[in-house]
Amino acid sequence: MIQSLMKQLPVSVPVEPLLQVRDLSLLYGPEKGCQGVSFDLYPGEVLGIVGESGSGKSTLLSLLSGRLPPQAGSISYRGKDQQWLDLYSASEAQRRTLLRTEWGFVEQNPRDGLRMGVSAGANIGERLMAQGVRNYQQLRGAGLDWLNQVEIDPLRIDDLPRTFSGGMQQRLQIARNLVSSPRLVFMDEPTGGLDVSVQARLLDLLRGLVRELDLAVVIVTHDLAVARLLADRLMVMRRSRVVETGLTDQILDDPQHPYSQLLVSSVLQP
Ligand SMILES: Nc1ncnc2c1ncn2[C@@H]1O[C@H](COP(=O)(O)OP(=O)(O)OP(=O)(O)O)[C@@H](O)[C@H]1O
Ligand SMILES: [Mg+2]
């Protein structure tokens, strides 16, 4: 009786964030880089980072993903085991393991995120192997399945990525990242180098996958249409600082900071 009652009660336990970022800074010069950045990211949440060229978006993403050490600040990540890990006091090996397992990183240029000398199937299987999967059939099966999911003909499984178009390479990079069931994926302008029609298809695909897999994503883009389509929440950066943060629709429809207003209006009136 009590048990069935309890089941009907709304969940009162607040969801804990996945990532806690506090006062993160790395400056290459005055207002070059990023400074004083703090936020929480929750499971399944998509956070967009927008702002003009040079505002510090990529620097922030490199800090968040542990690829660069900050000059100040901290990042805590709550792992699958529910333990909090202080990213910068973790060892290099721990950070690398995270990036291969629970995290993913989709580079703007797929050539930076793929191994161009090995087949599409091997690109997908690699992260599974890093997690200890050795069974050939299982690796092959996952490769075929993921090619299918990112709309690449599975018959191309033994082909090298260099024989793929830019859009296909980007989809392969996404498959390679998602095969290991990450919880958090970083993306830096994932549609940046692609034709508009290819971009639209990739965005549709990404949107579906993010929802289906309940992924938390931090995505850098200077394209507000991409932000609108994918992000739940936005951070607007200017000259190394976050000038505004809020729900995507709120920021795009009713920006408060003068710079956000400029950013939004300059896109509406090209
Ligand atoms: N390794 C570095 N050494 C020196 N300066 C750097 C370095 N990396 C970035 N910067 C500078 O820091 C500032 C922020 O760069 P960042 O690449 O983070 O900007 P961004 O917002 O990603 O720009 P874009 O939209 O053009 O990619 C820029 O002025 C850049 O020149
Ligand atoms: Mg950048």
Side-chain angles (χ1 to χ4, degrees), residues 158-263:
D158 295 319
D159 294 353
L160 295 177
R162 89 165 70 92
T163 65
F164 289 7
S165 70
M168 281 167 75
Q169 288 179 356
Q170 196 55 301
R171 280 179 274 135
L172 180 62
Q173 192 191 181
I174 288 165
R176 172 179 162 90
N177 272 277
L178 298 188
V179 66
S180 60
S181 310
R183 305 164 76 219
L184 173 57
V185 180
F186 302 97
M187 302 184 187
D188 196 348
E189 304 274 11
T191 58
L194 304 172
D195 291 346
V196 175
S197 63
V198 179
Q199 270 188 24
R201 226 175 108 206
L202 186 74
L203 276 175
D204 265 355
L205 177 78
L206 264 181
R207 189 152 88 142
L209 287 171
V210 164
R211 300 276 181 268
E212 186 186 318
L213 304 172
D214 200 28
L215 279 178
V217 177
V218 181
I219 179 171
V220 163
T221 178
H222 67 270
D223 185 339
L224 297 187
V226 171
R228 168 92 77 184
L229 205 66
L230 288 180
D232 303 307
R233 209 149 48 95
L234 288 185
M235 280 194 330
V236 182
M237 288 190 75
R238 187 197 190 200
R239 297 188 189 153
S240 75
R241 291 192 174 84
V242 174
V243 296
E244 185 168 355
T245 171
L247 295 176
T248 301
D249 290 347
Q250 244 166 38
I251 291 196
L252 295 184
D253 296 338
D254 186 21
Q256 300 299 309
H257 189 280
Y259 175 70
S260 316
Q261 291 169 352
L262 195 69
L263 196 72

Side-chain angles (χ1 to χ4, degrees), residues 54 56-59 108 188-189 220:
K57 305 180 297 295
S58 295
T59 305
Q108 172 171 357
D188 196 348
E189 304 274 11
V220 163

